Amino acid sequence: MINKNLFNSKIWIPPVAAFFLGVVSVNGQVSKPKKDTLREKEIDEVVVVAYGKAKRNSYTGSVATISSDKINNRPVTNITKALEGQVPGIQTTTSSGQPGAVATIRIRGIGSVSASSDPLYVVDGIPFDGNLNAISPSDIESISVLKDATASALYGSRGANGIIIITTKSGKKGEAKVNLNISQGFSGRAVKDYEQVSTDQYFQLYWEALRNGYRSDKISSQQASQMATDNLVSMLGINPYGPGYSKPVGTDGKLLPGATPLWNDDWRDVLQRTASRNQVDLDISGGSEKSNYFFSLGYLDDKGMAIESGFKRYNTRLKINSEVKKWLNIGINLNYTNSVQQAPTSSDSKASNVIQAARVVPSFYPYYERNPDGSFVLDAAGNKIYDFGKYRPSSALQNQNLAASLPLDKNENKEDNFSGKGFMEFTFLPELKFKTSFSVDLVNYNGHFYSNPLLGQGTEIGGSVTKSNTRTLSYTTSNILTYDKKFGKHHINVLAGQEFYKYDYQTISGSRSGFSLPYYYEPDAASLLVNFGGYSNKLSLLSYLGKVEYDYNNTYFLSASGRADGSSRFASDNRWGRFWSVGGSWKISNEDFIKNLNVFNQLTLRASYGGQGNDKLLRPNGQSLYYGYQELYRILTLGGEAGTTLEKAATKNLKWETNLNMNVGLEFAILNNRIKGNIEYFKRKSQDLLFNVPVAPSLGISDYPANVGTIQNTGFEFSLFTTPIRNEDFQWNVDVNLSTLKNKVTKLPGGPLVVGTKQLREGGSVYDFFIQEWVGVDPSNGKPLWKTISKDANGNEVEGTTSEYSKATKIIQGSALPKLTGAISTSINYKNFDFSGLLTFKIGGKILDGDYTSLLHNGSAGGRAWGVEMLNRWTPENPNTDVPGLSTTTNNWTSTSSRFLYSGTYARLKNVSLGYTLPSDYFEKIGLKKFRIYIQAENLLTFYKHKGMDPEQALDGTTYFRYPAMRTITFGLQATL
């Protein structure tokens, strides 16, 4: 893609550089809970917010905090996978179990259609552009989730979809402390795959499909039966019953007496495995009156369930803060991570998808070559020979054996992530401070994908190799002036600042094929250049921000903030967006009329309203569009001559997408803080949506970006924290959080738009399914039926049915978005024992299972595996069923329809942990302060009606042959010196 007009940013670079278990994690350091516990302190705890900190009970915005003990002890590779169920209002979807995969997170609904809805990640006060895999969960002190305008408006356009602030650990005053955490885990599928028919059942079913396909006016049922018996083995290409049963199924459709399969090779046994997970984390920290330090090292080796998949990471962090003068504090925070991800194809319908391949090849096709009597075919050295199935029908992955070819291939993603932050804070007066900071994120990525020339599909072209490199460099400079002063009962805090952000992305890639020698992986060893390309993108953002907070007598609180962002994505006339917020809170529990009730330990009412922007427009393929207003061209070659075609039309009027957020909340605590809770209502309106409007292909382009339509998200959030039992030896906590969500398109000029399986229309949600409606099976002939809607001569709608899929009518079939999400939790500390658990759940929403349909062909895909549901197919003896009759002639019954739309309601026991901290007396002589052993399980149980499908799928409710979630059992020890 070529930018016709050279990028010419006018932005100035500034100077200065109880029936569910849930979310309370282990507290193994406390052997005897005291009355002055963390639970009681949480009311007045300090939380990290935008550009600073605040006391929870007086803050006017909506913020939720996740402490380190709820993150550090989770066996997760990526921190995003540790957030589910921890905070109401967050929808976390882990659609892939591939080690190193990132979960998709949405805060308070879907804020856009064609622009990014991802939240902003802020690490130690600075927006983070690196890979989240580079942040080790063991380095994290806390995570704050900012959800409303007051909490996130200071980040302007970058915080339009909410903010997740990650604070890493710092050293503390006192003697140096050494922490060591070692764990060993084992992983497998969290959900069993779809159940399939046996070899005996398959041969009888396929005989039936052949017979029904042969029958016609010229061929009688008896003749068709004989033809099915005669041709069954040749059609499938194999006879697992041996030479003694050359026609294993008789003309009655039954297996001959005594016919038994000589082998049963489940391909999941060779393409999947029980994986291992090893992790070691070490950190050293300490500090004095004027400085502190934190240093960590980490190693992770997370093998995947699919063969040749996994993720390996080495990470280190150094964080130093020092008061070099009474008026000057400085700090540095350096983090480097090297990671290698082995990622064979596992998320599409390709034949090379290792997850799909394990599912669709029936067990009567062996993975090692077999003799007719069932014995193995051996090579000259006496070794088994992999069977690539040249005889298999194409539907059974002909000429494919990933168990043999994947170990010879490469599917490797390497990344080097460096993140560096530094700051200087000047104290001019006790109440007046100035902080200047600089942050840089550098990500260097290398992809190496190699298909070997010896075995598998790569043999046709002598093997192939693709190598790519991308370099992402971004930096942020920030200059913040704060004034904080108390005047009697009055308190004021003022913040003013300026920020500049620069992003530079470069990529290059090339492919070659034709290796003359095996076991050479680099492009130089291949003879034929296939393609070569590269491009770069740049982005600049200049911002000015300010905030004023005022409170009277620690009871009445007001806040207002504003920010102006200038983005290079837009033309000069629309470049600047202005964002703002106002908020207030009333600490009612400080009023005498509440104090006199002697009921509430805390009662706070808060409200806020504000506007933010979004400039993160995406192309239909999901890639970011950095030059939203300019004409873009594509270079093509024809007959050796270069030419250009229009890729994107100029859209000078393109402007900011705007988010208006309202929040009202009530926070309370009673019974000496034994019961605490929070109730919030939010209304989030996204207007002037950045949207890729489709156009007629005759115009030469497929779409153009424009500001079209309005979306509204509304809902309630509820959190409850309770301590039913607390004494010297025993403490039991039970927590609950719930959130509702209603997503609605309130304005869409130009009428409904169909995007894939969804329809955008006024009054609907952004993820409403718009697909054909399944009616059932015609009991008279076994044909599938779909609904039709037409109009009669008077214009009235007339409903009917059809067996021709192309004539079926698309109808709205509900939304993929759940109505209720939440978690219920418990934690127990008894003397030196600790126990915790987390169960998350979603209620409502729908999932279109396109993976399952690959196992439900009517017989037209001979040789492909069959799900057990096909045993209930239509026959004259079984006319009342919703599975059509079998035939080798396709009937399209597995095409997209409501037949394969399932409820998204499920619950998952996300985490269970049991630990024991040995009494410190045992280790005082050797200097140990703590020694804890533990066992924990991730994704232990899943409660879901539609067996075989992992209910954690993409937010839009569609499946795509993805890597399933993993159940991980981990054993470990923690030691503190």
Side-chain angles (χ1 to χ4, degrees), residues 111-375:
S112 189
V113 177
S114 296
S116 173
S117 292
D118 291 337
L120 171 69
Y121 292 91
V122 176
V123 178
D124 291 323
I126 303 294
F128 180 71
D129 267 342
N131 192 323
L132 290 173
N133 282 324
I135 303 175
S136 172
S138 64
D139 284 352
I140 296 175
E141 181 67 31
S142 68
I143 295 178
S144 293
V145 181
L146 311 186
K147 296 183 283 186
D148 73 332
T150 294
S152 56
L154 269 185
Y155 286 105
S157 63
R158 306 183 75 179
N161 295 300
I163 300 168
I164 296 177
I165 297 181
I166 299 169
T167 302
T168 59
K169 294 177 180 177
S170 299
K172 294 178 173 58
K173 177 184 174 182
E175 183 182 359
K177 182 185 294 185
V178 180
N179 291 306
L180 176 67
N181 189 348
I182 301 175
S183 63
Q184 168 73 58
F186 302 94
S187 301
R189 275 181 171 269
V191 174
K192 289 183 178 180
D193 203 3
Y194 307 101
E195 189 177 354
Q196 299 181 11
V197 301
S198 67
T199 296
D200 289 351
Q201 292 168 333
Y202 194 104
F203 269 68
Q204 292 174 96
L205 287 174
Y206 195 61
W207 178 93
E208 184 178 319
L210 288 172
R211 182 202 60 185
N212 293 343
Y214 287 138
R215 280 193 300 201
S216 68
D217 293 338
K218 297 181 180 180
I219 300 177
S220 67
S221 179
Q222 183 177 1
Q223 290 174 315
S225 297
Q226 186 63 56
M227 293 171 67
T229 295
D230 294 342
N231 297 330
L232 177 61
V233 169
S234 62
M235 293 297 292
L236 292 177
I238 196 169
N239 183 5
Y241 296 96
Y245 298 91
S246 58
K247 298 179 181 180
V249 178
T251 56
D252 60 353
K254 304 297 183 183
L255 278 173
L256 298 180
T260 303
L262 300 177
W263 61 83
N264 183 46
D265 288 359
D266 190 334
W267 283 77
R268 288 168 288 197
D269 292 342
V270 291
L271 295 180
Q272 299 174 6
R273 63 192 178 187
T274 299
S276 63
R277 187 181 194 278
N278 303 294
Q279 185 168 0
V280 179
D281 291 297
L282 172 72
D283 67 70
I284 304 170
S285 62
S288 63
E289 291 287 347
K290 295 187 177 182
S291 64
N292 60 71
Y293 62 90
F294 176 85
F295 174 72
S296 69
L297 293 169
Y299 167 75
L300 170 68
D301 185 6
D302 189 3
K303 295 286 195 304
M305 172 273 298
I307 64 170
E308 303 302 318
S309 68
F311 181 81
K312 189 174 290 187
R313 178 178 66 204
Y314 303 87
N315 60 275
T316 182
R317 181 180 295 274
L318 175 63
K319 189 175 183 181
I320 300 174
N321 299 296
S322 179
E323 180 186 323
V324 295
K325 297 289 184 180
K326 288 186 177 181
W327 50 271
L328 177 61
N329 288 325
I330 65 172
I332 61 169
N333 187 348
L334 307 177
N335 180 65
Y336 170 73
T337 301
N338 172 266
S339 64
V340 180
Q341 183 187 49
Q342 305 296 337
T345 304
S346 60
S347 61
D348 60 30
S349 57
K350 293 179 180 178
S352 57
N353 183 339
V354 64
I355 303 300
Q356 178 72 343
R359 176 183 294 147
V360 301
V361 182
S363 60
F364 55 80
Y365 291 121
Y367 29 82
Y368 294 108
E369 290 185 10
R370 301 269 187 168
N371 292 306
D373 62 359
S375 61

Side-chain angles (χ1 to χ4, degrees), residues 875-908:
T875 63
E877 298 75 30
N878 183 38
N880 299 314
T881 178
D882 64 348
V883 181
L886 300 181
S887 175
T888 51
T889 302
T890 183
N891 58 13
N892 293 315
W893 92 281
T894 57
S895 299
T896 300
S897 76
S898 60
R899 170 63 172 78
F900 306 105
L901 203 58
Y902 299 91
S903 168
T905 298
Y906 77 94
R908 174 164 275 170

Side-chain angles (χ1 to χ4, degrees), residues 657-699:
E657 181 178 286
T658 302
N659 280 265
L660 298 173
N661 296 289
M662 182 187 74
N663 185 81
V664 179
L666 180 68
E667 192 168 353
F668 64 89
I670 59 176
L671 300 178
N672 293 323
N673 304 318
R674 295 279 288 273
I675 298 178
K676 301 188 304 176
N678 185 46
I679 303 172
E680 290 186 296
Y681 168 78
F682 68 89
K683 182 178 181 180
R684 179 186 178 194
K685 181 180 179 182
S686 302
Q687 60 189 26
D688 296 325
L689 294 175
L690 292 169
F691 187 77
N692 294 308
V693 181
V695 297
S698 59
L699 295 178

Side-chain angles (χ1 to χ4, degrees), residues 432-443:
L432 182 64
K433 296 181 179 180
F434 174 76
K435 184 176 183 179
T436 181
S437 59
F438 178 81
S439 172
V440 61
D441 292 312
L442 176 61
V443 181

Side-chain angles (χ1 to χ4, degrees), residues 307-599:
I307 64 170
E308 303 302 318
S309 68
F311 181 81
K312 189 174 290 187
R313 178 178 66 204
Y314 303 87
N315 60 275
T316 182
R317 181 180 295 274
L318 175 63
K319 189 175 183 181
I320 300 174
N321 299 296
S322 179
E323 180 186 323
V324 295
K325 297 289 184 180
K326 288 186 177 181
W327 50 271
L328 177 61
N329 288 325
I330 65 172
I332 61 169
N333 187 348
L334 307 177
N335 180 65
Y336 170 73
T337 301
N338 172 266
S339 64
V340 180
Q341 183 187 49
Q342 305 296 337
T345 304
S346 60
S347 61
D348 60 30
S349 57
K350 293 179 180 178
S352 57
N353 183 339
V354 64
I355 303 300
Q356 178 72 343
R359 176 183 294 147
V360 301
V361 182
S363 60
F364 55 80
Y365 291 121
Y367 29 82
Y368 294 108
E369 290 185 10
R370 301 269 187 168
N371 292 306
D373 62 359
S375 61
F376 291 107
V377 177
L378 303 178
D379 62 16
N383 300 313
K384 299 175 185 176
I385 303 172
Y386 279 107
D387 191 332
F388 280 81
K390 294 181 180 180
Y391 55 86
R392 295 198 300 253
S394 59
S395 298
L397 304 186
Q398 190 179 58
N399 297 322
Q400 182 86 296
N401 189 325
L402 293 181
S405 60
L406 270 182
L408 300 177
D409 295 342
K410 272 187 178 292
N411 296 277
E412 190 173 78
N413 298 306
K414 289 184 177 181
E415 276 195 357
D416 293 287
N417 281 257
F418 171 77
S419 179
K421 300 176 177 65
F423 75 87
M424 293 188 295
E425 185 177 58
F426 302 88
T427 302
F428 302 121
L429 299 170
E431 59 272 8
L432 182 64
K433 296 181 179 180
F434 174 76
K435 184 176 183 179
T436 181
S437 59
F438 178 81
S439 172
V440 61
D441 292 312
L442 176 61
V443 181
N444 189 72
Y445 163 83
N446 281 280
H448 192 174
F449 299 92
Y450 164 81
S451 179
N452 79 87
L454 296 176
L455 300 173
Q457 294 182 333
T459 58
E460 299 175 1
I461 56 174
S464 64
V465 61
T466 298
K467 294 200 75 172
S468 60
N469 175 264
T470 62
R471 179 181 183 271
T472 304
L473 174 66
S474 63
Y475 66 83
T476 302
T477 63
S478 176
N479 300 288
I480 304 295
L481 183 68
T482 57
Y483 179 80
D484 190 277
K485 182 70 174 179
K486 287 187 177 181
F487 307 90
K489 294 183 179 181
H490 304 273
H491 174 232
I492 188 170
N493 180 280
V494 180
L495 179 150
Q498 168 271 331
E499 200 170 71
F500 179 77
Y501 169 75
K502 187 75 173 181
Y503 175 88
D504 187 346
Y505 174 88
Q506 300 178 30
T507 183
I508 190 170
S509 65
S511 299
R512 301 184 76 159
S513 64
F515 287 86
S516 58
L517 295 172
Y519 310 114
Y520 287 85
Y521 308 110
E522 299 298 334
D524 279 355
S527 58
L528 179 63
L529 178 64
V530 178
N531 61 59
F532 176 81
Y535 61 92
S536 63
N537 285 310
K538 299 181 186 297
L539 172 68
S540 299
L541 188 72
L542 176 62
S543 307
Y544 299 96
L545 57 132
K547 179 181 69 171
V548 177
E549 294 179 335
Y550 167 80
D551 74 83
Y552 175 75
N553 199 27
N554 197 35
T555 301
Y556 309 100
F557 302 84
L558 295 173
S559 68
S561 67
R563 176 163 172 147
D565 283 341
S567 172
S568 62
R569 294 181 193 260
F570 302 114
S572 56
D573 291 343
N574 295 319
R575 178 156 293 169
W576 286 91
R578 293 164 180 83
F579 317 108
W580 55 276
S581 75
V582 292
S585 64
W586 177 21
K587 196 180 295 185
I588 310 174
S589 52
N590 282 0
E591 303 286 1
D592 290 339
F593 67 90
I594 295 295
K595 289 181 179 178
N596 294 336
L597 295 177
N598 292 320
V599 174

